[in-house]
Amino acid sequence: MKDKVAQLTASRKQLRQQMPDLSTILPGSLLSRMVRCNKPGCRFCEKGKGKGHGPIWILSVNLGNRQVRQIPVPNELRKEVEESLRAFAQTQKILKQIAQLNLELFKERKHQRP
Ligand SMILES: [Zn+2]
């Protein structure tokens, strides 16, 4: 089945072209939360009524060993961080797909041996 090899190789090439710019990738996920200032009389933080201030944005990164690092993200960097997180997720997805394709290719090539 030479066709299958050609097909798998073409799919792999296509996946490689979908690979994001690796120099931008960031791990983690972006969270938002409201914060309370605890200033007396603040109408945003009024007990039971106010929603607090914000939202503020936080980059949450899992460091392993149940350790999570939370890094505040300034508003003007939020979009960039979001894109970098997407690039990382996309990279991981494509890596898995290419690895899977290569596994198929390996099996095909084994079967094709004389
Ligand atoms: Zn407040």
Side-chain angles (χ1 to χ4, degrees):
M1 287 273 273
K2 273 241 154 69
D3 283 359
K4 187 154 188 201
V5 169
Q7 192 196 329
L8 288 169
T9 308
S11 302
R12 185 174 63 183
K13 192 178 171 191
Q14 209 172 25
L15 282 170
R16 281 192 63 182
Q17 283 162 353
Q18 288 169 25
M19 203 71 165
D21 179 1
L22 291 180
S23 62
T24 67
I25 62 171
L26 260 182
S29 52
L30 199 60
L31 314 172
S32 70
R33 73 165 67 117
M34 302 301 281
V35 286
R36 297 195 177 270
C37 68
N38 292 322
K39 280 179 194 155
C42 174
R43 64 187 176 99
F44 297 107
C45 303
E46 211 178 335
K47 255 188 193 159
K49 287 185 200 165
K51 287 178 178 169
H53 303 267
I56 59 160
W57 296 89
I58 294 153
L59 177 62
S60 179
V61 186
N62 198 334
L63 302 174
N65 290 328
R66 294 183 178 183
Q67 278 186 302
V68 176
R69 194 160 164 217
Q70 299 210 320
I71 307 159
V73 176
N75 248 331
E76 69 267 27
L77 293 179
R78 191 181 120 208
K79 215 177 153 202
E80 193 184 315
V81 167
E82 280 174 337
E83 281 164 16
S84 296
L85 291 172
R86 264 200 299 276
F88 191 28
Q90 177 78 350
T91 300
Q92 285 182 313
K93 190 175 141 199
I94 292 175
L95 270 183
K96 278 182 197 161
Q97 287 173 335
I98 291 176
Q100 195 59 44
L101 272 178
N102 281 340
L103 193 59
E104 294 296 316
L105 265 170
F106 176 69
K107 286 192 244 170
E108 281 303 315
R109 287 174 57 205
K110 249 180 83 176
H111 289 142
Q112 281 178 22
R113 286 182 310 160

